[in-house]
Amino acid sequence: PVFRDNPEKLSRALAELAHLPESVRNQRLHGDWSVDIEEGDRVFTNADPEEVDDFPIPISWRQVRVLDPAGHRSGFAIFAEDPNTGTWYCTLARHIEWRGKTVRATDIEGECDKYAPHSDYRYFASIYDNAENWFGAHAENNRGMWVPCILKNVEMSISLTRSAIVDKRLVFFRDGAALATREIYRAKRNDKTGKPEFKSLHSLDCVRYFCAQIPDPDPDWVGDTRQEEERMQEEANKCLMRSWKEADREYNRPISEIMKRRRAR
């Protein structure tokens, strides 16, 4: 729209892009991102992800989060199950990145927690790739919160992912999971070895890990049945309790310590 509504900018843009092929110019100017992909090169041949418009996920649905941790770029995805149909939706696919910074496992988990419906939401399962034990020590300290997924047989995970897509057992949000669908189309095999190449396709890795161990139906799953007002009230009560505890500690603080603080001011 910036170019379309401004003839002068459009003219400059056309001049700057004149050396590019027509298809690439259309991508830049009109958002026409249709790309012809050679079927023989694709890892997921004949497995086109079904996309649906994003919709609010009921808080009672089972949700599984999957992490592909790494030092500079991690993949993160969330999956939600419709209990009435058994269909799983990939609702979110993201790359979490840090540049020029030393990253700790706690940093990555903190970023993952930001996508939770609320601060104390309990996922049905939290899965992480532990092939290089990058996240393992931290996850061990949070036993029950993160479960390792080590896939030795890559072709098996590809087959299971393809089946989930073709059978429509796994469907993708059009906006929230757009990164995952793009990476599914980008996944190629090496021309010489025929082996799949997943370099930098971190959200696709999350999809593979999930499809390798899609949870069985759980009729006893209750989820979070609280109303939003109840949750907000519980949060307020927690804050109030913390305030009372802090006030109580301050009241019982030794006089000598209080005088030291006053003199320091």
Side-chain angles (χ1 to χ4, degrees), residues 64-69 79 125-136 139-140 145-154 156-158 160-161 202 204-215:
V64 174
R65 60 179 178 175
V66 185
L67 175 64
D68 181 37
F79 304 84
S126 297
I127 302 169
Y128 69 97
D129 169 28
N130 196 33
E132 298 178 4
N133 205 37
W134 199 93
F135 194 73
E140 280 295 315
M145 295 178 62
W146 291 96
V147 177
C149 173
I150 303 177
L151 294 179
K152 299 294 185 183
N153 192 331
V154 175
M156 180 191 71
S157 73
I158 292 173
L160 293 171
T161 301
H202 298 290
L204 172 55
D205 283 344
C206 293
V207 174
R208 289 194 300 116
Y209 303 153
F210 174 76
C211 291
Q213 47 190 358
I214 296 178

Side-chain angles (χ1 to χ4, degrees), residues 78-97:
I78 297 179
F79 304 84
E81 179 196 36
D82 182 344
N84 300 309
T85 64
T87 300
W88 284 88
Y89 295 88
C90 181
T91 62
L92 179 82
R94 292 286 185 274
H95 282 163
I96 302 174
E97 298 190 34

Side-chain angles (χ1 to χ4, degrees), residues 244-258 261:
W244 276 107
K245 288 182 177 178
E246 290 172 2
D248 187 60
R249 283 197 299 270
E250 182 67 25
Y251 181 80
N252 292 294
R253 192 184 300 276
I255 296 295
S256 58
E257 189 172 335
I258 295 176
R261 290 176 59 187

Side-chain angles (χ1 to χ4, degrees), residues 63-238:
Q63 294 194 53
V64 174
R65 60 179 178 175
V66 185
L67 175 64
D68 181 37
H72 296 290
R73 172 182 287 180
S74 298
F76 181 65
I78 297 179
F79 304 84
E81 179 196 36
D82 182 344
N84 300 309
T85 64
T87 300
W88 284 88
Y89 295 88
C90 181
T91 62
L92 179 82
R94 292 286 185 274
H95 282 163
I96 302 174
E97 298 190 34
W98 296 266
R99 294 183 179 178
K101 174 186 174 184
T102 301
V103 183
R104 298 169 299 179
T106 50
D107 296 328
I108 295 181
E109 185 179 39
E111 290 297 317
C112 295
D113 289 342
K114 292 180 181 178
Y115 293 105
H118 50 75
S119 59
D120 55 346
Y121 180 78
R122 181 168 63 91
Y123 288 93
F124 179 79
S126 297
I127 302 169
Y128 69 97
D129 169 28
N130 196 33
E132 298 178 4
N133 205 37
W134 199 93
F135 194 73
H138 172 70
E140 280 295 315
N141 294 331
N142 293 277
R143 189 177 295 277
M145 295 178 62
W146 291 96
V147 177
C149 173
I150 303 177
L151 294 179
K152 299 294 185 183
N153 192 331
V154 175
E155 292 295 342
M156 180 191 71
S157 73
I158 292 173
S159 176
L160 293 171
T161 301
R162 182 185 290 110
S163 296
I165 292 173
V166 171
D167 297 341
K168 303 296 189 290
R169 190 179 182 189
L170 177 61
V171 179
F172 296 80
F173 272 18
R174 197 179 312 280
D175 295 327
L179 176 62
T181 55
R182 285 203 304 269
E183 292 190 353
I184 287 172
Y185 282 113
R186 285 174 52 201
K188 300 289 189 69
R189 292 185 179 275
N190 185 284
D191 293 336
K192 296 181 179 179
T193 65
K195 292 184 178 180
E197 297 179 338
F198 293 132
K199 185 178 181 180
S200 299
L201 304 182
H202 298 290
S203 71
L204 172 55
D205 283 344
C206 293
V207 174
R208 289 194 300 116
Y209 303 153
F210 174 76
C211 291
Q213 47 190 358
I214 296 178
D216 293 328
D218 184 357
D220 298 325
W221 171 256
V222 176
D224 196 327
T225 59
R226 297 174 297 172
Q227 297 296 318
E228 185 66 12
E229 293 78 5
E230 294 177 305
R231 188 186 71 78
M232 294 298 291
Q233 185 59 54
E234 290 182 17
E235 289 286 343
N237 291 341
K238 290 179 183 178

Side-chain angles (χ1 to χ4, degrees), residues 32-87:
D32 181 6
W33 296 104
S34 298
V35 179
D36 292 330
I37 302 175
E38 296 182 21
E39 291 293 326
D41 293 337
R42 283 184 54 196
V43 171
F44 296 96
T45 306
N46 300 324
D48 297 325
E50 179 176 342
E51 297 178 278
V52 298
D53 291 335
D54 301 19
F55 58 84
I57 298 298
I59 202 71
S60 58
W61 283 21
R62 288 198 298 176
Q63 294 194 53
V64 174
R65 60 179 178 175
V66 185
L67 175 64
D68 181 37
H72 296 290
R73 172 182 287 180
S74 298
F76 181 65
I78 297 179
F79 304 84
E81 179 196 36
D82 182 344
N84 300 309
T85 64
T87 300

